[in-house]
Each structure stands twice: as C-alpha cells, then as structure tokens.
Amino acid sequence: ARDPATAESFWRDQLCQLSEPTRLADSRCLAPDQATLADIVMNLDHDQLAAFARQQQVTLNTLIQAAWTLILQRYTGQRRVAFGATVSGRPASVPGMDRQIGLFINTLPVVEAPAPEQRLGDWLAELQAHNLALREHEHTPLYQIQQYAGQSGRELFDSLLVFENFPVDDALRSDASGVRASNLQVSEQTHYPLSLAVEAGQGLVLHLHYRNDQVSPSRAEALAGQLECLLSAMARGGDQRLSDLPLLTDREQQVWNDWNT
C-alpha cells in the first residue's frame, strides 16, 4: 500500500547533500584470510543515561545515535555524516505483525549534520523526529536507497548501529512452556568493518565489533573510550553546545595538552 514515489522522494532528499561516503575504517595490511572479528565490551551507567534521555524526552537509541554521529564527524572531518541503523521491519501499523514469523530487518542510512553551535537538547529533539520520519519509509531496501543516492554497488557508510531493547535471555528463562535456557551467548557478525550493538535491558551494554583487517585494535579501543566519555559528558545537561562536548576525560585531556606543549 506504500507509494514508491513518495519513498523515492524522501530518500533522495535525505541523501542529496551527502557528498561522500562516511568511512571510519583505516587501511590495514592483513590478508582477508587472516582477519578476525574482535569485540570491545562497554558497561555504561544505565540509570544516568536513561534519566537524561527521559529528561530530554528522547529514547536511549537516539542518545547513542547522537554520540556516534559526533564521533563520526570528529574522526572524518565531514560535516554531514552517515551510518547504518538496523530496524525490525515490523511496523505497529500492520495488524498482527508482531506475530509474523520471518526475518524482516532492514538497514537504513541515518544522515545527520549537526552544527557545532547547536545546543545538545535541541539537536536530540531533531534527531528523534528524524528517526520517526525514517520509520515511515523503513520498507525501502538499502540497495534501492543506494541507487537513489547514485551509489549503486557502493556503501554509503562503513559503520552500523544495532539497538536491542528486548530482553531475550529473560524471555527464554520465563517461558511458560516449562522449557528453560541457560548460559546464553549471542554471536553477531556483519560485513561492516565496525558494528556497535547496544543491549538495553536491566543494564546498558555496548559491544563494538570490528574487523582487524580494516580497523586497528588501537583505533577500536580509542573509539570505545571516546564514545563512553562522550555519553557521560552528554548526560551532564542538554544546554551544552555540541562543540564543547569532550571526547577525552579530564585526565586524558591534560595529558594531551601537556604533550602538545
């Protein structure tokens, strides 16, 4: 029932100002057959970040997307950046969709260009509204979106953000059938050099998956540390300007300043 012309117009408008793909991966010399997938785990302060998100009337997903956008801007030097966001493909507007069996997920490009002088709270509200608009066109396949951008066969981004807020382990442990599961482990792999998987349940756990033939361990560790620092700084208040949000802790900043002087 969706109008393909409307979806095409929406995505062309989103992508027309993205002058180049957004890439975080660096050049590595490892042969593909030597590559492995590594994982950095970050346990964040769920209560602090959730309280700040509620105060700003946005979701935790929006908050983490905002931090990742700023990371991309500062690492690439590009004002307008893009990353992939995975959606379930199960819109609430379709009756019975929650009971359908099958894989409906899709990856959508999130394209943002926040200005350094913007207040954090204002931009979070914009990003939340942007995410809601994306959901109206989440049925458009990624390959089709890339064609609209004139990037057929080329990636618009090399990082993916996956937000999971369904407590799978709790659901399995409380199965009414009497079946119980234990020692649950999740193995996630994508073809992207960098994937940020977020588990939001009783706690808030971030997994930064990276391919070591395209991202060095030192860069991955730096990204993880700076993401943690940035999220902690954001939770201090929505009145901060984006340009004032730090990627380094106070101690790291002092070491950096000393080194540069």
Side-chain angles (χ1 to χ4, degrees):
R2 296 287 186 174
D3 179 13
T6 301
E8 178 178 352
S9 176
F10 173 84
W11 286 113
R12 287 190 183 279
D13 182 62
Q14 290 294 308
L15 299 164
C16 65
Q17 297 185 58
L18 186 66
S19 59
E20 58 183 312
T22 303
R23 295 192 176 97
L24 270 181
D26 50 12
S27 299
R28 303 284 289 153
C29 298
L30 287 175
D33 59 353
Q34 298 176 318
T36 59
L37 185 68
D39 181 21
I40 298 173
V41 181
M42 295 161 272
N43 289 282
L44 304 186
D45 189 331
H46 177 276
D47 293 342
Q48 179 193 39
L49 293 174
F52 176 66
R54 285 194 301 271
Q55 181 188 56
Q56 299 300 315
Q57 298 183 331
V58 300
T59 64
L60 269 174
N61 185 23
T62 295
L63 189 60
I64 294 172
Q65 283 191 1
W68 193 245
T69 299
L70 296 178
I71 289 279
L72 291 173
Q73 280 189 323
R74 298 187 189 186
Y75 262 79
T76 65
Q78 298 169 219
R79 170 68 182 276
R80 189 171 300 273
V81 294
F83 61 89
T86 299
V87 293
S88 67
R90 295 175 179 269
S93 59
V94 179
M97 194 63 190
D98 59 327
R99 297 187 299 274
Q100 295 295 320
I101 297 175
L103 187 66
F104 298 96
I105 64 171
N106 190 19
T107 297
L108 303 177
V110 178
V111 182
E112 284 292 326
E117 66 274 11
Q118 275 187 282
R119 300 288 183 183
L120 173 60
D122 295 337
W123 181 55
L124 287 174
E126 288 181 20
L127 183 56
Q128 178 94 344
H130 178 69
N131 275 318
L132 291 174
L134 290 184
R135 293 307 175 94
E136 292 299 313
H137 306 280
E138 67 177 11
H139 57 283
T140 310
L142 180 59
Y143 74 84
Q144 185 67 69
I145 296 172
Q146 291 177 169
Q147 290 177 1
Y148 293 152
Q151 300 287 339
S152 180
R154 295 180 58 197
E155 299 283 7
L156 298 170
F157 45 82
D158 68 359
S159 66
L160 179 71
L161 197 156
V162 184
F163 192 90
E164 301 169 345
N165 59 4
F166 182 74
V168 176
D169 54 346
D170 292 344
L172 289 175
R173 291 192 181 99
S174 61
D175 192 326
S177 68
V179 176
R180 295 292 180 265
S182 62
N183 192 27
L184 299 172
Q185 299 182 26
V186 178
S187 176
E188 296 182 276
Q189 296 188 28
T190 74
H191 72 281
Y192 293 101
L194 279 160
S195 299
L196 183 65
V198 183
E199 296 177 18
Q202 294 181 346
L204 184 61
V205 183
L206 274 60
H207 295 263
L208 184 65
H209 304 285
Y210 67 96
R211 290 175 53 93
N212 67 354
D213 62 330
Q214 299 182 57
V215 178
S216 66
S218 59
R219 170 167 285 197
E221 290 284 355
L223 284 167
Q226 290 163 358
L227 180 60
E228 286 190 77
C229 179
L230 184 55
L231 282 166
S232 178
M234 291 167 71
R236 295 171 189 164
D239 289 335
Q240 304 173 87
R241 295 189 186 277
L242 299 184
S243 58
D244 294 333
L245 293 170
L247 290 184
L248 304 174
T249 64
D250 292 341
R251 181 178 179 182
E252 289 171 333
Q253 187 65 58
Q254 184 61 52
V255 170
W256 176 258
N257 292 340
D258 291 345
W259 186 81
N260 279 285
T261 55

